[in-house]
Amino acid sequence: MEPNLPSRFNAEHWYTASNLWRKLSRYALVAGRKTVLTAITLYHCLKDQDTPAWAKGVIMGALGYLVLPADLVPDIIPGAGYGDDWAALVAALGTVATYVKDIHKVKAAAQTEKLFGLKGH
């Protein structure tokens, strides 16, 4: 984001764990399993004390973009709405991949299955 924009336009401004879980629990089916799994994997990497601050900033930016109320492609557009969110998450995951541990992936997979199981799928 441009540095002169108000903070409300900064994706990191929107990231909180509660905003993330609220979004994922409400829109998991629309966002899709891959988007949810990637977001939760990044969440666990973010919470790990071994993840460096710069990597946490990248993750917070991507997760913030996911929960941002208004983004490049509105999330309500069928088939395309979460495409930009997915791209941001994948870019962040690629950037911080060195710090993603197997335990982050295992926890994310279990939580993703739980979320989708609660949605009846």
Side-chain angles (χ1 to χ4, degrees):
M1 278 281 134
E2 294 292 323
N4 59 348
L5 291 176
S7 65
R8 71 179 179 275
F9 294 110
N10 184 339
E12 287 182 36
H13 171 78
W14 289 97
Y15 173 76
T16 64
S18 61
N19 282 349
L20 176 65
W21 291 110
R22 187 178 312 109
K23 179 88 172 207
L24 292 178
S25 66
R26 289 183 183 164
Y27 300 104
L29 293 177
V30 177
R33 190 176 299 268
K34 289 190 295 187
T35 299
V36 170
L37 179 62
T38 304
I40 298 174
T41 300
L42 287 169
Y43 168 80
H44 285 293
C45 187
L46 173 67
K47 294 299 180 189
D48 192 319
Q49 67 181 8
D50 294 337
T51 303
W54 72 264
K56 289 181 178 191
V58 169
I59 294 168
M60 286 178 62
L63 294 177
Y65 189 76
L66 177 64
V67 300
L68 193 66
D71 53 31
L72 190 58
V73 179
D75 295 336
I76 60 169
I77 297 175
Y82 281 92
D84 59 326
D85 300 277
W86 167 244
L89 294 171
V90 168
L93 186 62
T95 302
V96 304
T98 303
Y99 304 102
V100 176
K101 299 176 181 175
D102 287 341
I103 190 67
H104 302 151
K105 296 174 188 176
V106 169
K107 287 179 178 180
Q111 288 176 304
T112 298
E113 290 309 310
K114 185 177 178 183
L115 257 178
F116 278 84
L118 292 174
K119 299 293 182 185
H121 294 268

